Amino acid sequence: MGLQEQKQHFSVNLLDWYMVNRRDLPWRRHNNPYFTWVSEIMLQQTRVDTVIPYFNRFIGNFPTVQALAEAPEEDVLKNWEGLGYYSRARNLQAAARQVMELHGGEMPQDKPAVFALKGVGPYTAGAILSIAFNQPQPAVDGNVMRVLSRYFLIDEDIMKGSTRVLMEELAGELIPEGRARDFNQALMELGALVCTPKAPHCLTCPVMEQCSGRIAGRELTLPVKTKAKPPRPEQRLVAIVEGRGAHRGQVLVRQRPDTGLLARMWELPHVLAAPAAASKKAAPLADEPAMALLAGSLWAEGFAARPEGLATHAEHVFSHIVWSLQVYKCTEQDQSSELPLIAAEARAAYDAQAATREGTASSSAVSPESDTMHSSEPGTPNAQNIATSLNDGEMLAPSDVSDLVLSTPTLTGKGDGLTYRWIGPEDMDKMAFPNIFLKLISSYFAGAYDQVND
DNA sequence: AAATCGGGGTG
DNA sequence: CACCCAGATTT
């Protein structure tokens, strides 16, 4: 068969199949460019079933571009909580403000203007232009590259940028006249429902007859894709600090920096236990030094807390990092009278353990990442900085750690400080937390860590 | 071109 | 357990 014939077979049969088999999805019920836009951002690297409830709630709370543009960013982030890739939420709102200022609140319809919106790349621009405005632009995502690589037996590595460009040219040629809206969605629908990654349903595929990949027996080996680098392991020590006195019934949380991992999300305080010098692998730290490090870090950030014992272990997997968390239940201590005692005990506990470990034992650095830290909450103890030159993941000699634990906090009054807050259960519905901390804090408020072993 | 950026479903 | 998902942005 000729290539042109193969292309026509594909377009005609795929489109016919889609008109019968298309799913009824919330963003397909109205032809609203704003709905299309929001859905496409949410669907980036995220499954349809996951997105549906988020989309419905988001549109309910922010029904128009203007409503989104005028909302507090905190509310937008809260609506994104648990969906991941939180820069999507912040970019989406920034783009809504772009649309208000540059386009009077109406979605632009020309490619340069759509592409210029924050968070809109090659795929999403094509998706918006074709789905919302029926413009003959390709929308090449992972589904499309998988379908095309199989049907046309394309051996190019789909991780390469040049391959995506090649696919876009091909996908553009396949769009039937005047049918970009349906055809582009058909292409993705086929990838999601039939031409699936591991076990494609070739027997029910509308284009199986002329699928070069299937005919060659290559449907399971396509697309060609270089393997991703495995995520690096990190051991982290987490504090659930139970408030006393004025903070009774509350727990200590902090907000992450404006950029980087989980930007502007709230979390429990935690420190990185640096990998052992020899193996360079993250390994659990014994409870005593772990609690000493945690007490020392909290102290250095302006909080007096006594670690009581291990509450639980937890794991959180990112694309590029795996957090193994040791979670310790701590209690807030009276600042003036008991703090020196806490520091001394922390040092004694650390030294006792360090003596039993060979060479350079595991140690810690402040987190998150390389940001310097100090408390900025009025009413808390003095703002301090543990060590401005200390980067996340750097090694510390045990003696340095002891010094840190015993060091007298000093005000720096500079740099981007993290905001710490004491919160109760009622505060959880306004602040956005990553899922791992959402679970840990909810469990704490539910009484799950009431008794710990110390 | 390679890293960074979440979280969960699937075989 | 590995793989991948309606990718974009930064370096």
Side-chain angles (χ1 to χ4, degrees):
Chain A
M1 63 191 139
L3 181 56
Q4 292 307 320
E5 181 189 340
Q6 191 185 16
K7 288 180 179 176
Q8 183 161 351
H9 170 267
F10 182 83
S11 297
V12 170
N13 290 285
L14 178 58
L15 195 51
D16 287 347
W17 171 84
Y18 177 70
M19 299 317 287
V20 176
N21 294 92
R22 74 193 290 267
R23 288 172 290 182
D24 176 27
L25 301 174
W27 46 92
R28 286 180 177 169
R29 293 187 174 177
H30 312 88
N31 200 348
N32 182 325
Y34 172 63
F35 291 2
T36 301
W37 178 27
V38 171
S39 71
E40 289 302 336
I41 299 298
M42 286 188 171
L43 285 162
Q44 289 169 5
Q45 299 291 286
T46 311
R47 288 183 156 69
V48 166
D49 290 343
T50 303
V51 165
I52 288 174
Y54 280 91
F55 176 84
N56 288 330
R57 186 180 62 172
F58 194 93
I59 292 300
N61 290 334
F62 314 112
T64 63
V65 173
Q66 182 174 357
L68 177 58
E70 294 175 350
E73 189 195 75
E74 184 182 21
D75 292 355
V76 179
L77 206 54
K78 185 65 183 178
N79 275 267
W80 214 271
E81 181 183 72
L83 199 52
Y85 287 132
Y86 298 98
S87 64
R88 291 185 295 175
R90 290 179 286 113
N91 285 336
L92 180 59
Q93 188 181 32
R97 292 172 176 168
Q98 285 182 271
V99 171
M100 291 304 297
E101 293 178 8
L102 301 176
H103 309 291
E106 292 291 316
M107 280 292 288
Q109 300 191 26
D110 58 297
K111 188 167 186 178
V114 172
F115 196 80
L117 297 174
K118 297 264 188 204
V120 175
Y123 162 74
T124 306
I128 291 172
L129 291 168
S130 61
I131 297 172
F133 304 118
N134 202 28
Q135 292 183 25
Q137 294 287 336
V140 173
D141 67 346
N143 281 318
V144 173
M145 290 206 276
R146 185 172 59 254
V147 169
L148 296 183
S149 71
R150 285 172 175 169
Y151 184 83
F152 293 101
L153 215 169
I154 298 168
D155 271 310
E156 300 296 317
D157 186 346
I158 64 169
M159 295 298 280
K160 291 164 57 181
S162 58
T163 304
R164 200 206 70 228
V165 173
L166 187 153
M167 295 281 187
E168 285 173 346
E169 292 174 2
L170 177 55
E173 297 170 4
L174 294 169
I175 299 172
E177 186 73 28
R179 301 302 302 275
R181 172 179 293 135
D182 289 327
F183 179 77
N184 279 358
Q185 293 182 86
L187 207 39
M188 293 184 280
E189 198 88 332
L190 188 75
L193 300 180
V194 178
C195 197
T196 49
K198 293 191 174 177
H201 306 91
C202 294
L203 294 181
T204 61
C205 177
V207 295
M208 61 94 77
E209 284 180 27
Q210 296 194 24
C211 176
S212 297
R214 184 197 61 82
I215 293 170
R218 295 283 312 279
E219 69 272 17
L220 294 179
T221 63
L222 290 171
V224 174
K225 185 178 183 182
T226 57
K227 271 195 287 193
K229 218 178 79 176
R232 67 175 182 272
E234 287 186 357
Q235 195 74 26
R236 286 181 177 270
L237 315 175
V238 183
I240 298 181
V241 185
E242 185 171 79
R244 296 174 64 189
H247 303 137
R248 179 169 296 279
Q250 296 183 308
V251 65
L252 184 65
V253 298
R254 69 184 180 194
Q255 191 172 29
R256 295 180 63 87
D258 289 344
T259 59
L261 186 69
L262 302 170
R264 296 184 215 180
M265 303 286 284
W266 292 86
E267 65 178 8
L268 291 169
H270 56 96
V271 297
L272 174 68
S279 63
K280 275 218 157 188
K281 300 182 77 171
L285 196 57
D287 285 344
E288 287 202 0
M291 291 192 288
L293 287 167
L294 215 40
S297 296
L298 288 165
W299 163 228
E301 292 168 40
F303 297 96
R306 179 195 301 278
E308 306 289 354
L310 185 67
T312 186
H313 288 276
E315 191 168 85
H316 193 56
V317 180
F318 302 91
S319 302
H320 57 307
I321 310 172
V322 179
W323 279 357
S324 294
L325 304 179
Q326 296 171 235
V327 184
Y328 293 90
K329 170 83 168 293
C330 309
T331 52
E332 183 188 11
Q333 302 295 307
D334 178 47
Q335 176 78 3
S336 54
S337 63
E338 301 188 40
L339 200 48
L341 179 60
I342 298 296
E345 287 179 351
R347 176 175 187 170
Y350 182 85
D351 287 346
Q353 181 64 23
T356 69
R357 293 170 76 93
E358 65 214 297
T360 54
S362 294
S363 58
S364 86
V366 294
S367 88
E369 281 57 51
S370 60
D371 287 288
T372 59
M373 311 177 65
H374 64 77
S375 156
S376 58
E377 170 79 357
T380 61
N382 288 341
Q384 293 96 17
N385 192 310
I386 190 167
T388 53
S389 62
L390 193 59
N391 289 323
D392 195 32
E394 278 185 17
M395 297 295 291
L396 279 177
S399 59
D400 294 331
V401 175
S402 301
D403 290 344
L404 278 179
V405 171
L406 270 187
S407 67
T408 300
T410 53
L411 266 168
T412 63
K414 60 181 180 183
D416 295 327
L418 298 185
T419 301
Y420 284 76
R421 280 181 55 182
W422 293 97
I423 66 164
E426 70 281 3
D427 295 310
M428 301 284 293
D429 55 23
K430 286 293 182 189
M431 303 156 74
F433 293 85
N435 267 2
I436 180 63
F437 294 112
L438 205 55
K439 291 173 185 170
L440 289 172
I441 297 170
S442 299
S443 296
Y444 166 74
F445 281 131
Y449 310 131
D450 281 352
Q451 55 265 4
V452 296
N453 308 320
D454 55 345

